[in-house]
Amino acid sequence: MRIRNLIAFLFIVIAVVLGTLFFLKINFPKGLEGYFKPDYYNQFGPLAICIELLIAGIYLFKKHSKTNFALALFGFTAILDPVFNLTGLFTSLVPTYATILFVVMALVALWLSFSNTFQMGRISLRAALLSFAMGTAIELFFNYLV
């Protein structure tokens, strides 16, 4: 229980700190038409990953029944961002320091999710595939709108 709470606390703190940094970098348009351009929405991609990490951390702390799904969703989204960036599908807006941190945390999250370390219920194959599909959709939505 102590390790679970420590990991959850670490996930929450990193999500809040990086989320704040990413939110402060968002350029809000001056006119109304700027809110309807893809460049505006693309800025929210790194923030979406932080929100996924925050939800996964909160679920892990509360030992929620959907914790493993949330961990897998964050893990796949955070891993797919640099993979899509390296393959040239899009240029990621996540800074290098955050990408490294997200990948390390994603590997931990995927390990926790698939190994059922804290006995919160095994993730089903359907839920794993759904989390992968949703992670892909989130990445493509925030980075491939242009």
Side-chain angles (χ1 to χ4, degrees):
M1 179 173 141
R2 189 169 172 194
I3 292 285
R4 179 179 55 84
N5 288 339
L6 180 67
I7 293 171
F9 180 74
L10 187 65
F11 279 13
I12 292 169
V13 167
I14 290 174
V16 168
V17 169
L18 288 179
T20 302
L21 290 174
F22 295 151
F23 182 77
L24 293 175
K25 288 184 179 181
I26 292 175
N27 294 321
F28 293 97
K30 301 222 186 273
L32 187 60
E33 67 277 350
Y35 287 100
F36 299 104
K37 295 183 179 176
D39 290 338
Y40 173 69
Y41 293 105
N42 291 351
Q43 300 178 88
F44 290 96
L47 191 59
I49 298 173
C50 288
I51 291 170
E52 288 178 2
L53 179 61
L54 179 66
I55 292 170
I58 291 170
Y59 277 6
L60 186 60
F61 188 77
K62 289 183 168 187
K63 206 170 180 180
H64 194 275
S65 63
K66 300 291 184 190
T67 301
N68 287 335
F69 178 79
L71 287 168
L73 178 62
F74 162 72
F76 285 130
T77 306
I79 293 285
L80 287 171
D81 188 71
V83 167
F84 287 161
N85 189 25
L86 289 173
T87 59
L89 189 60
F90 58 77
T91 302
S92 176
L93 295 177
V94 179
T96 306
Y97 68 90
T99 299
I100 294 168
L101 193 56
F102 280 153
V103 167
V104 169
M105 297 178 73
L107 293 174
V108 170
L110 288 172
W111 176 71
L112 290 173
S113 176
F114 288 108
S115 68
N116 195 24
T117 305
F118 300 118
Q119 284 74 38
M120 290 181 279
R122 277 214 174 286
I123 189 167
S124 66
L125 178 62
R126 181 178 171 201
L129 292 175
L130 182 63
S131 64
F132 179 77
M134 287 178 66
T136 303
I138 289 167
E139 278 303 307
L140 292 178
F141 177 78
F142 285 110
N143 294 299
Y144 206 59
L145 282 175
V146 183

